Amino acid sequence: MNITVTLKIAKRLIESNGEAVSGQHLADELGVSRTAIWKHIKELEEKGYGIESVKKKGYRIVMLPDTLEPLGIQTGLKTKSIGREIEYVESCASTQIIAHQLAQEGAPDGTVVLTETQTAGRGRLARKWDSAANKGAWMSIILRPDVAPQKAPQFTLVTAVAVVRAIEEVTGLQPQIKWPNDILLNGKKCTGILTELQSDADGIQALIIGIGLNINQEKDDFDAEVQDIATSLKMESGEAVNRQKLVQSLLFYMELYTHMYIEEGFAMLKILWESYSTTIGQPVRARMTNQTLEGIAEGITDDGVLQLRTADGKLHGIYSADIEMTNESRKTP
Ligand code: BT5
């Protein structure tokens, strides 16, 4: 069976927005027999597409499979570069590893690596990222911005804003950002971001932005160690979320905001970031590799550095840390 023809039929049916397309039309367009079309339709049904045969009218798509395959993601995707190339694998150790490899081999700006499950998903400092099969979106985005390497950490903040906007748009939930890389719902983590860098004397060769979105897990789908601190969009909204739509929306906002950042700087995005932040104005404990500081998180600089004022009145610039709120009662709900 010619898989390209199968995918072309799926694309044609998706693009007809629920209108039936006749078998004869499809056969003429694709240069195959009507019997072949029928076989391809059966193949799509086996892949999880719901297809209705409408008498005398043809085939109509009624349900898309719940996968992150490029066909579903790219049909109706409103971006110019991000997600135009998608490397999809059903399972892998970590999408970061694949993306690093592809970036080294010259993958273009905007290439996305997507998977249904990871066996060695990772967080910062080589921590484990729990990646339940078919319930989330585990992805890495390769960007090749013409900016100085020290601007790399801001891409985590820009990505956080894109994640919040996508979740808001698709689910109506209102997530918050915990500096620098956590997205929270009701104080629990629903998304983590990991920005890694390939650079040389000429500057940034590639940014590899890893995003782990918990979408349709139930509590039991999480590893025991994270069950009390993690949540999913389904757990918070009570409804299963269309993963394809969420990924499409995220790729759209990623393109919008990364371009905004590259062209206009962080000022505008900082306003958005601060409006979503659960950290700013709060008493926090910042654990770094070499020390721990307690104080009030006063804000972030235009470079994305957290400004923490300790009890002695000193203002500290924090580049990377794990943040805990030290006054839970003041936490924004
Ligand atoms: C992060 O690190 O939050 C970055 C996570 C990035 C994951 C994506 S998935 C696609 C791509 N491929 C990868 O291999 N990674 C990226 P960090 O701030 O260090 O947080 C890690 C901590 O979050 C862990 O130590 C756990 O406490 C917690 N955690 C692990 N899995 C989680 C999950 N699914 N949901 C919520 N919290 C989780």
Side-chain angles (χ1 to χ4, degrees):
M1 174 95 30
N2 183 337
I3 189 75
T4 328
V5 176
T6 314
L7 296 181
K8 277 187 182 157
I9 294 174
K11 188 159 188 286
R12 180 74 170 77
L13 294 183
I14 294 170
E15 284 173 348
S16 79
N17 291 325
E19 289 288 314
V21 184
S22 87
Q24 191 59 55
H25 247 104
L26 289 170
D28 293 345
E29 271 177 37
L30 298 167
V32 297
S33 68
R34 287 194 62 171
T35 320
I37 295 290
W38 180 81
K39 284 186 185 151
H40 286 292
I41 294 282
K42 290 283 153 236
E43 173 77 14
L44 285 171
E45 283 174 345
E46 269 162 36
K47 279 172 162 281
Y49 287 81
I51 297 176
E52 207 176 70
S53 292
V54 189
K55 221 176 172 190
K56 294 204 178 126
K57 288 199 168 152
Y59 301 107
R60 198 164 75 86
I61 209 149
V62 287
M63 194 183 72
L64 293 172
D66 179 24
T67 81
L68 299 175
E69 282 177 81
L71 177 72
I73 302 289
Q74 285 175 332
T75 307
L77 181 65
K78 296 196 211 89
T79 61
K80 288 205 172 71
S81 60
I82 299 187
R84 289 294 145 200
E85 291 279 333
I86 295 181
E87 175 76 13
Y88 170 82
V89 283
E90 254 178 59
S91 163
C92 64
S94 156
T95 56
Q96 291 294 96
I97 299 174
I98 299 178
H100 273 286
Q101 179 76 36
L102 290 176
Q104 256 156 12
E105 290 165 3
D109 175 70
T111 301
V112 174
V113 182
L114 258 172
T115 193
E116 306 288 351
T117 185
Q118 303 182 114
T119 51
R122 63 186 192 223
R124 293 176 302 159
L125 306 168
R127 286 186 277 218
K128 183 177 175 219
W129 184 258
D130 179 5
S131 319
N134 310 310
K135 300 279 170 100
W138 324 119
M139 74 176 98
S140 300
I141 303 176
I142 300 173
L143 296 181
R144 297 191 183 274
D146 188 12
V147 299
Q150 57 270 28
K151 299 236 176 211
Q154 283 99 301
F155 280 87
T156 298
L157 308 183
V158 173
T159 302
V161 173
V163 170
V164 169
R165 295 287 289 177
I167 294 177
E168 272 182 349
E169 181 177 88
V170 175
T171 67
L173 294 165
Q174 300 217 303
Q176 290 187 306
I177 304 171
K178 191 174 91 169
W179 184 90
N181 69 323
D182 291 353
I183 310 299
L184 308 181
L185 282 166
N186 290 320
K188 292 189 175 178
K189 186 159 168 174
C190 66
T191 302
I193 300 162
L194 175 68
T195 303
E196 295 178 327
L197 183 63
Q198 286 180 7
S199 65
D200 58 21
D202 295 333
I204 292 184
Q205 288 308 316
L207 277 174
I208 315 290
I209 304 181
I211 307 168
L213 284 159
N214 298 330
I215 305 178
N216 286 331
Q217 291 103 321
E218 304 291 348
K219 192 169 181 180
D220 286 352
D221 293 317
F222 288 102
D223 289 344
E225 316 83 274
V226 296
Q227 276 189 8
D228 292 333
I229 57 164
T231 192
S232 72
L233 305 186
K234 184 179 179 193
M235 282 163 71
E236 298 302 321
S237 69
E239 281 171 24
V241 173
N242 183 316
R243 295 187 303 148
Q244 289 177 355
K245 272 201 187 137
L246 188 68
V247 171
Q248 285 179 332
S249 172
L250 176 58
L251 299 184
F252 171 78
Y253 283 114
M254 278 299 285
E255 186 162 293
L256 184 71
Y257 293 136
T258 53
H259 284 183
M260 188 188 274
Y261 172 56
I262 293 163
E263 278 151 30
E264 296 165 31
F266 191 55
M268 289 270 277
L269 286 158
K270 188 175 151 189
I271 298 170
L272 274 181
W273 188 93
E274 284 178 340
S275 73
Y276 296 133
S277 163
T278 183
T279 321
I280 304 310
Q282 302 295 322
V284 300
R285 184 178 299 124
R287 287 185 202 278
M288 290 152 278
T289 34
N290 53 352
Q291 63 170 337
T292 297
L293 288 175
E294 273 190 38
I296 302 290
E298 289 199 343
I300 51 168
T301 65
D302 283 349
D303 294 333
V305 177
L306 183 71
Q307 300 293 100
L308 184 93
R309 196 175 296 278
T310 42
D312 58 8
K314 264 196 189 160
L315 198 59
H316 301 258
I318 299 192
Y319 288 83
S320 179
D322 281 313
I323 299 292
E324 277 168 48
M325 318 298 282
T326 50
N327 183 352
E328 286 297 310
S329 61
R330 287 190 53 192
K331 198 167 68 186
T332 329

